[in-house]
Each structure stands twice: as structure tokens, then as C-alpha cells.
Amino acid sequence: MFFVDILEFEGLGNRSYLSGGPRSAVVIDPPRDIDQVIAAAARRGVRIAFVAETHVHNDYVTGGLELARVTGARYLVPAAAHVSFAHTPVADGDTVTVDEGLVLRALATPGHTPHHTSYVLAEDGRGVAAFTGGSLLIGTVGRPDLVEPRLTGQLARAQHASAHRLADELDDEVPVLPTHGFGSFCSSSQAEGDATTIGQERATNDALALDVDTFVARMLAGLDDVPAYYAHMGPANAAGPAPVDLTPPGRADAEEIASRLAAGEWVVDLRGRTAFAEGHVTGSFNFESAGKLATYLAWLIPWGKPVTLLADTPAQITDAQRELTRVGIDRPVSAATGDPGTWVRAGERLASFPRARFADLADVRERGDGAVVLDVRRDSERAGGFIDGSVHIPIHELPGRISEVPPGTVWVHCAGGMRAAIAASLLDAAGRDVVAVDDSFDAAAGAGLILTRPDGTAVLDGTAVLPDVRETPERSAGHAPGALLTGEGGGSGVPA
């Protein structure tokens, strides 16, 4: 009887799999911190006989090479992948016997990368699981633009063909077990759910429901920005990543923290955004350990910049260190925990800034206090509606564009509060007066804020309306039915 164990990594939006029979197993797309994979195999009482990569990953550092070395497993890597280490190349149709009656078959599914390979596990000749990596995902497919811009269109078409090949060759009840698609930026779009089958995808996935031209056009139009650190992941994986070192970093006292800040290094506070806003080391940045720490820290930090971590407890440091190794941030230079008051030198005080909700922002704008509203969401989010008059700088561009933020007190928001907290810490460290809006963007319209779309239409309770930006006397002379008054004399912003 076969089994499939899921190893989930919520911070990166990825999964790895341990699958096999009573005696031996294969690991698909393992994480860099391989100890948990070894522990999972030990709980099952199985030997890891094979380690298989679906592709050279662009979003995290693999643990495949080290796992194969430690366990003695054969390391299966797509034959067309250009890598610099010893491995067993696999091509379309190649098979290995995982355990008695269990055969793993390689299935070429280019699209996410040119060499992408899925693996189908068969029990007694019947397909029972499809490990689809970055090919067929839950409700979508892996994005095709991470390898080379000139190949994007070609790979998008290949994704469509690969999805159809999987659907054509496998029965409806076969589970689809992707590596990406649970929040990963390797997914071409985000979909709900955490389990699916070939049959479900046949009924709901655009790659299987649309013709190739429509599918490609729609997918390419929806692609979002690529995290900057992705540029370092592929080369690291192709060269063969080094083993991780998870021993605790040295303890930093107040003097060392101040010295590292003075040297231009990054001091990252892992505490929750509420605690950070109430009191933090001047110049430190807030990346909540409970948020997408690895994704956003790796995206924003200058690559190779030394990092000192601050947290409530040593356990938070340990967890963050493990997560950061998965994206190549290998070794915090130091760390401190406990009372934030001990992180600053004698005579110095912790910095702070206020937090607010969208209703507070609406009150400030109603009073005409001249608040600068900074939207740090991505372009795709802003396209659905934004606060009228807001400045837009996506969070991942903010470190290099702070000088573009207009003078005044900056009210910074995102979709839920986590990215706004990061942005507020960046602005605070740069000496700006800042208010972090810790609220759901869904509450903005209800608070009385005017939302506008890029085409100029306004949004009221999810409905697009026509904005009227004239002054009240001009409007009184005549206006379009239902037009929304958004000029300086606009009052509550209720359609006529």
C-alpha cells in the first residue's frame, strides 16, 4: 500500500512530498533544511531511496543534493537541466522502482521551465499520484516568465500543452500534487483550495478549459512582479547548494546592534507589528515572523547584506533562521531576544509610530490635514481600486524610491496590514513621520474613502461609478446621472 506525506512550507507557499511503500520512498522537491524530511521518513520507518526534482527551482534553495548525499539516495534531475553536480538524469518515460509494485515515471511537462518534469506514481500499473511541481497546479499553472523573457510566450504555450498531456494520460481520480501554488509567486495566479484531482482540474482549470491563444493571452496579462531574490535561486540550485548551518547566531547587545546599524547592516525585528510600532530600535525594520518573512525580507534586502535578528524569544530566532536558509539567507550575524529596552544603549529611547484604521484616515482627510496616502500593494491589487489621490509605490520598490514619497505625514496601507508595517518601518528608519494603517482594504470604502480604478471610474460598494471632480457650484449647473462628486467640495462622496 502506498502513502503520500505532505511537507508544507506556508511562508514560501510550497510543498514537498515523501511517498513510497512499506520499505522505501522517494522525496519530491525537498526543502533545504532536510532534517524534517529525514524525520518524516523515520516516522514512516522507510528508507529514502530516491530524491527527485521537478525542475531547477527559482523560488527557493533545494535540499535535494544534500539529502541524496546524506541518505545515499539516487538524485533524479531532469536530463535537460544544466547542473554542475553528479546526479541521475531522467528523461520523458524513464522509470524507477520505489518499492515493490510502486513505479515512478518521469513525464516531460515543459512550461514553468524548459526542462520541467512531472512524476507519476503507479501502483501495480495504475496511476495513483501525480507530482506536478510547477506544471499543473490547483486551479492554475506555474508561471512561464522566470527563466528568460524571450522564452515566456513559448513556455506559456508549452504550459497549456503540458496541462493537456497530464489530463489526457491520467484518470480523473488521480490526485494532483503540485510543489507551487499555495501562495508562491511561482504560480501564475492564486487559487483557493489545498487538494485537487485531474478530474477537478479538467472542470475548472483555464489551461484545460480555454483554447491555447486565449489561455496564453489571459495568463500573460495577469503575471505579477517577480521577487528580486529569484535571480539568485536558480544559479544556486544549478551549482549545488551547500549544507545549511542552523546553529544559533551569537548574541548581540545594545552596543553591537548600534554598531551594525551604523555600518549600514540590516537589523530586522521579527515581533508583531503592534509591538514594533509601540517601541523599536531606531533604524530597524519590521518583518513579522508570522508573515511571509522569507519572501519579503529576501525580496527587499540588498543581496548579501548582513542581517541581525531581534525577537521576543530564542524560538522565534530559530524558526526565522530556518525559514531564511530556504531562500539563501544563510547565517544571521547576530541576534537578540527579550525586553526591547535592552536593545538600546543607556540614555537612548525606543522609537515608535502610530497605527490607525481606514476610518481614522477618512477623518483626517475630511479635516483637510494634508495626509500623504501611500499604497504599497502590487499593481494587480491596485487595479481593482485605490484610494483617490494616493501615491503608489509597491512594497518591493519602496527601499529605492522613498525619496519619491511627498513631504508630510505618510499614512501607509496595503491590503491587510502586514506589508504596511514593513513599509512604515522603512519610512520610519528614513526619518519620515508615518502612520501604519492596520486594517483590511475592504473597509476603506465603508469608511467613506473614495476608491478609484485606473480607468478613472470610481468604486462604491464594489460598483464602478463615474467620478465628478468639479467643484460644487460647477456640479450644480448640471451633472451626469449617478456621477460621484470627488472634488474638494465633495463632502461624503454620495452619488447623485
Side-chain angles (χ1 to χ4, degrees):
M1 189 70 182
F2 80 98
F3 71 87
V4 177
D5 289 344
I6 299 172
L7 289 78
E8 190 148 12
F9 307 98
E10 293 183 7
L12 294 176
N14 286 329
R15 288 178 174 178
S16 298
Y17 300 92
L18 173 73
S19 181
R23 290 169 296 278
S24 57
V26 59
V27 178
I28 309 290
D29 290 342
R32 193 175 183 199
D33 46 326
I34 62 171
D35 55 328
Q36 59 189 309
V37 181
I38 294 171
R43 286 192 296 270
R44 280 283 185 180
V46 296
R47 175 178 65 90
I48 297 175
F50 300 95
V51 176
E53 302 283 8
T54 56
H55 59 294
V56 175
H57 302 281
N58 287 288
D59 63 327
Y60 71 92
V61 181
T62 181
L65 182 62
E66 180 66 3
L67 182 61
R69 185 189 70 80
V70 169
T71 62
R74 288 174 61 191
Y75 192 19
L76 311 181
V77 177
H82 299 294
V83 296
S84 302
F85 47 81
H87 62 283
T88 299
V90 291
D92 186 47
D94 287 351
T95 61
V96 295
T97 299
V98 177
D99 205 334
E100 185 176 353
L102 284 178
V103 173
L104 191 73
R105 176 169 62 96
L107 193 71
T109 49
H112 187 48
T113 66
H115 60 265
H116 190 282
T117 300
S118 298
Y119 297 92
V120 177
L121 184 68
E123 183 178 46
D124 298 328
R126 179 179 61 89
V128 292
F131 302 101
T132 55
S135 183
L136 187 64
L137 311 184
I138 299 177
T140 184
V141 295
R143 58 192 300 169
D145 60 330
L146 301 181
V147 177
E148 159 60 53
R150 291 171 296 181
L151 295 178
T152 297
Q154 173 186 331
L155 290 177
R157 290 181 173 275
Q159 275 292 49
H160 185 271
S162 291
H164 279 266
R165 184 182 183 192
L166 287 162
D168 291 344
E169 294 197 16
L170 300 173
D171 295 335
D172 279 354
E173 65 271 16
V174 174
V176 174
L177 303 169
T179 300
H180 305 311
F182 310 94
S184 168
F185 281 88
C186 274
S187 176
S188 62
S189 64
Q190 298 304 321
E192 296 182 356
D194 60 3
T196 191
T197 63
I198 290 292
Q200 288 174 278
E201 293 309 303
R202 197 190 308 277
T204 61
N205 197 307
D206 278 356
L208 298 173
L210 301 176
D211 67 86
V212 62
D213 291 332
T214 304
F215 166 76
V216 168
R218 183 176 297 183
M219 179 171 64
L220 296 185
L223 292 176
D224 219 326
D225 291 337
V226 178
Y229 72 92
Y230 277 25
H232 305 281
M233 300 297 96
N237 287 324
V244 296
D245 180 0
L246 294 175
T247 56
R251 180 180 177 277
D253 58 15
E255 286 291 343
E256 181 173 351
I257 292 170
S259 174
R260 292 194 176 279
L261 283 167
E265 297 181 7
W266 274 38
V267 174
V268 173
D269 192 325
L270 302 171
R271 295 177 301 149
R273 54 186 182 261
T274 300
F276 182 88
E278 291 174 350
H280 57 270
V281 177
T282 300
S284 62
F285 303 136
N286 183 212
F287 290 80
E288 294 180 301
S289 60
K292 294 179 77 68
L293 168 66
T295 294
Y296 283 102
L297 179 55
W299 198 340
L300 269 64
I301 192 171
W303 198 251
K305 181 77 74 173
V307 177
T308 292
L309 300 179
L310 310 178
D312 289 317
T313 66
Q316 287 178 316
I317 299 292
T318 298
D319 291 344
Q321 183 178 353
R322 177 181 289 273
E323 186 169 352
L324 292 175
T325 62
R326 297 172 186 156
V327 291
I329 301 177
D330 280 1
R331 189 82 188 137
V333 292
S334 59
T337 59
D339 178 6
T342 65
W343 301 342
V344 293
R345 296 172 294 192
E348 296 179 339
R349 301 180 61 182
L350 295 171
S352 64
F353 54 74
R355 296 164 55 249
R357 306 189 74 79
F358 282 111
D360 303 312
L361 175 58
D363 290 343
V364 168
R365 298 193 102 186
E366 183 73 19
R367 295 196 301 268
D369 287 353
V372 176
V373 180
L374 176 62
D375 181 350
V376 296
R377 297 174 302 157
R378 296 186 299 278
D379 291 343
S380 59
E381 296 171 283
R382 188 170 168 89
F386 54 87
I387 295 173
D388 191 51
S390 62
V391 177
H392 181 225
I393 302 177
I395 182 63
H396 57 278
E397 298 179 10
L398 186 58
R401 298 179 60 188
I402 286 180
S403 62
E404 299 177 26
V405 180
T409 299
V410 184
W411 289 63
V412 59
H413 80 86
C414 59
M418 184 267 289
R419 286 173 292 173
I422 297 173
S425 72
L426 295 171
L427 290 160
D428 178 72
R432 297 298 302 269
D433 291 329
V434 64
V435 178
V437 179
D438 193 357
D439 202 356
S440 169
F441 189 71
D442 293 340
L449 294 164
I450 304 302
L451 303 188
T452 308
R453 289 197 176 99
D455 62 4
T457 58
V459 181
L460 184 67
D461 295 329
T463 303
V465 296
L466 178 66
D468 187 337
V469 298
R470 298 173 298 163
E471 300 300 323
T472 302
E474 296 174 295
R475 178 184 168 89
S476 298
H479 57 264
L484 184 68
L485 181 59
T486 60
E488 290 184 3
S492 61
V494 177

